[in-house]
Amino acid sequence: MATNGPAAGALASYQMFIGGKWVDASSGETFESVNPYTGAAWATVPRASHADVDAAVRAARQAFDEGPWGRLTGTERARLMRRLAAVIEEGADDLARVEVRDNGKLIREMQGQIRSLPEYFHYFAGAADKIHGDTIPPDRSNFLIYSVPEPLGVVGAITPWNSPVLLMTWKLAPALAAGCTFVVKPAEQAPVSTLEFARLIEAAGFPPGVFNVVTGFGAEAGEPLASHPGVDKVAFTGATSTGVNVARSAAGHLASVSLELGGKSANIVFGDADLDAAANGVIAGIFAATGQTCMAGSRLLVQREAHDALVERVAARAREIRLGDPQDPATEMGPVAFRGHLDKVLGMVEAASSEGARLVTGGTRPLTSGLADGFFVEPTLFADVRNDMTIAREEVFGPVLAALPFGDEAEALRIANDSPYGLAAGVWTRDVQRAHRMARGLRAGTVWINAYRAVGPMAPFGGFKASGFGRENGVAAIDEYTALKTVWVELSGASRDPFKLG
């Protein structure tokens, strides 16, 4: 597994989890995980190849087809899931600290995320023994017809670097409830927390092969997982461009696919809104998590009579946001997750200025003491943005907000829906009728009214258009990991020769 308590300056060393065993890559190769706050490597993990992915899928296949897992009832699976929830509760803070070192997000955010994980396993444990079909009224009296939902089989999950364990849980909890087995390939930029999570699976007593982790790069591990003929279901969260490639790989063997992809979500503020509450929601929607969330409210649509006042409120608070060590509970915004992403975010900021957007605040990399080595970007706000500008069309995935004015409800809907994405939206208004009209008119998988970034195990989450398809969370998620079998039972015993009339 990991080297416990490495010497000062030494890197922690990790192994993969395959078939209930801790193993190195078959090649012996490793790569480094870099702490975004210090810019220095802190751990080494195995660099998986096609052979390692094949071993993990075979382990999951064996566990599903031949192991005890496939014979467990929903009630028995639920007991294991509840045991896992208890183990997570005990190790939540340690797991949160690892994730902060891996991806640079705030310790207080990661503690909240990891401490919420037991709720997902309890919720889906409650569903595990309630997965049932229907008795179907026949069109003839000598037949009984019924349907049975059955687990799809082996799930190949590919998860992102921004919230690796939470977004894995959105897939794992319903998959376990349905009776599937699981192979996960976390993003190479933040793989360690998923390996640490495997220790909790082991401690909870899941049979070997039910949960497996392979670490490595997309072409060497992600693509072989998505295209593996032993994988029955591929579940992916990440960039839309990568999601397209994942879907193509899965299509080669007709695996079921769900994709939770990018967004360019509109946070829409009407003139009658409580502007202080709206400003807080806007700040939370884009600068919390350093903007590195698929549901980030990265387009701020403001009715003209409130535009200048709200932009100034948001800008004033953005200038006060405290950047610093993400392990410090007083820090309000941490770095972006890795150097390549830092370059991308700064490049999009430069492009916005060159296209004519007005920089209100931020827009640079802070080089003050304590921040210079990390991958920091100042909280950034652009005004005078048009919806055809790159900053309004493409996902930045960073702390960059684009403000666009609108006149009336119809224009707000037109601007909000004029996007290739359709993941989420927020609406801020005191008019309840308008709120419901907007919710109905917005082409987005989630709409918040006078709120933003609220999620939970009970509420389905997913997108329209280029934001993907399929749903995570809620009872609807179970359907993503089951296939419906129909059974016809002839009751009379009076079958006849099909080639004789009468």
Side-chain angles (χ1 to χ4, degrees):
M1 174 49 202
T3 302
N4 292 322
L11 303 185
S13 178
Y14 283 84
Q15 293 177 300
M16 297 184 293
F17 190 65
I18 297 176
K21 298 179 180 179
W22 295 101
V23 298
D24 295 323
S26 56
S27 66
E29 291 188 73
T30 63
F31 65 98
E32 295 178 340
S33 182
V34 175
N35 183 330
Y37 174 60
T38 65
W42 75 278
T44 62
V45 296
R47 183 168 181 165
S49 65
H50 189 288
D52 302 302
V53 172
D54 184 63
V57 173
R58 288 178 183 275
R61 182 90 263 160
Q62 183 176 16
F64 182 80
D65 291 339
E66 304 170 21
W69 179 254
R71 297 189 296 271
L72 295 183
T73 65
T75 301
E76 291 167 326
R77 294 195 301 272
R79 289 193 189 106
L80 275 173
M81 293 175 69
R82 292 189 179 101
R83 193 180 306 159
L84 174 61
V87 172
I88 294 171
E89 285 180 0
E90 294 174 3
D93 288 350
D94 289 340
L95 186 56
R97 282 188 284 272
V98 168
E99 194 146 291
V100 171
R101 294 185 77 180
D102 231 11
N103 71 3
K105 294 182 83 170
L106 299 184
I107 185 63
R108 57 185 180 181
E109 179 184 359
M110 289 300 98
Q111 284 177 333
Q113 276 192 12
I114 303 301
R115 289 171 183 171
S116 76
L117 297 186
E119 298 175 14
Y120 289 85
F121 289 101
H122 282 300
Y123 179 88
F124 284 102
D129 60 358
K130 300 172 186 68
I131 300 171
H132 59 81
D134 296 302
T135 300
I136 302 165
D139 60 352
R140 64 209 84 169
S141 61
N142 63 323
F143 274 98
L144 169 67
I145 311 170
Y146 62 91
S147 61
V148 183
E150 296 192 345
L152 278 175
V154 175
V155 175
I158 302 174
T159 54
W161 42 261
N162 57 321
S163 291
V165 176
L166 175 69
L167 297 178
M168 178 193 67
T169 294
W170 286 13
K171 301 160 182 57
L172 177 62
L176 293 177
C180 297
T181 56
F182 205 83
V183 180
V184 59
K185 202 292 282 187
E188 61 268 24
Q189 296 89 354
V192 178
S193 57
T194 305
L195 293 170
E196 289 283 358
F197 183 88
R199 295 177 60 190
L200 307 183
I201 287 277
E202 189 178 33
F206 280 78
V210 172
F211 180 82
N212 309 270
V213 186
V214 291
T215 51
F217 294 82
E220 299 165 355
E223 194 283 329
L225 180 58
S227 64
H228 198 292
V231 171
D232 302 293
K233 157 80 178 186
V234 177
F236 172 80
T237 297
T240 296
S241 57
T242 306
V244 170
N245 293 330
V246 167
R248 286 186 181 131
S249 296
H253 62 288
L254 298 180
S256 174
V257 178
S258 56
L259 303 173
E260 196 268 275
L261 306 177
K264 197 69 188 176
S265 300
N267 220 343
I268 306 163
V269 183
F270 286 90
D272 70 334
D274 179 334
L275 292 190
D276 288 332
N280 288 334
V282 171
I283 292 288
I286 187 62
F287 299 131
T290 320
Q292 297 172 120
T293 173
C294 55
M295 65 187 80
S298 53
R299 287 187 299 158
L300 171 59
L301 277 56
V302 192
Q303 201 160 24
R304 284 188 175 85
E305 58 261 38
H307 178 274
D308 291 351
L310 183 61
V311 166
E312 182 48 43
R313 274 179 168 87
V314 172
R317 182 66 182 93
R319 295 183 188 105
E320 296 173 352
I321 291 175
R322 178 175 175 177
L323 279 61
D325 183 352
Q327 298 280 7
D328 182 350
T331 297
E332 295 178 326
M333 199 178 91
V336 299
F338 56 99
R339 188 175 300 278
H341 191 54
L342 172 67
D343 294 339
K344 177 203 168 185
V345 172
L346 293 175
M348 293 195 73
V349 168
E350 184 177 348
S353 294
S354 67
E355 290 181 21
R358 175 170 59 88
L359 181 63
V360 178
T361 189
T364 62
R365 180 182 182 184
L367 298 176
T368 55
S369 176
L371 302 179
D373 293 331
F375 308 142
F376 287 91
V377 179
E378 291 177 338
T380 299
L381 170 60
F382 283 100
D384 299 338
V385 175
R386 301 187 314 274
N387 205 43
D388 61 352
M389 289 180 174
T390 303
I391 199 69
R393 307 298 296 176
E394 297 184 9
E395 186 177 41
V396 179
F397 219 70
V400 181
L401 178 62
L404 301 85
F406 69 86
D408 58 16
E409 189 176 316
E411 187 180 12
L413 273 175
R414 180 183 60 76
I415 296 172
N417 288 334
D418 181 17
S419 170
Y421 300 102
L423 189 59
V427 177
W428 299 83
T429 179
R430 289 187 171 97
D431 185 334
V432 66
Q433 293 172 322
R434 170 190 282 156
H436 285 290
R437 289 194 302 269
M438 290 294 293
R440 178 174 292 183
L442 286 162
R443 291 286 295 163
T446 295
V447 178
W448 294 285
I449 306 298
N450 296 325
Y452 208 86
R453 287 189 76 214
V455 296
M458 74 300 295
F461 185 83
F464 296 168
K465 301 187 286 186
S467 292
F469 49 80
R471 290 297 179 265
E472 299 187 307
N473 300 332
V475 176
I478 296 289
D479 295 338
E480 300 289 340
Y481 297 93
T482 57
L484 201 61
K485 176 184 287 183
T486 303
V487 180
W488 292 67
V489 183
E490 207 285 324
L491 301 174
S492 70
S495 62
R496 64 181 178 84
D497 188 331
F499 299 109
K500 290 184 178 181
L501 300 178

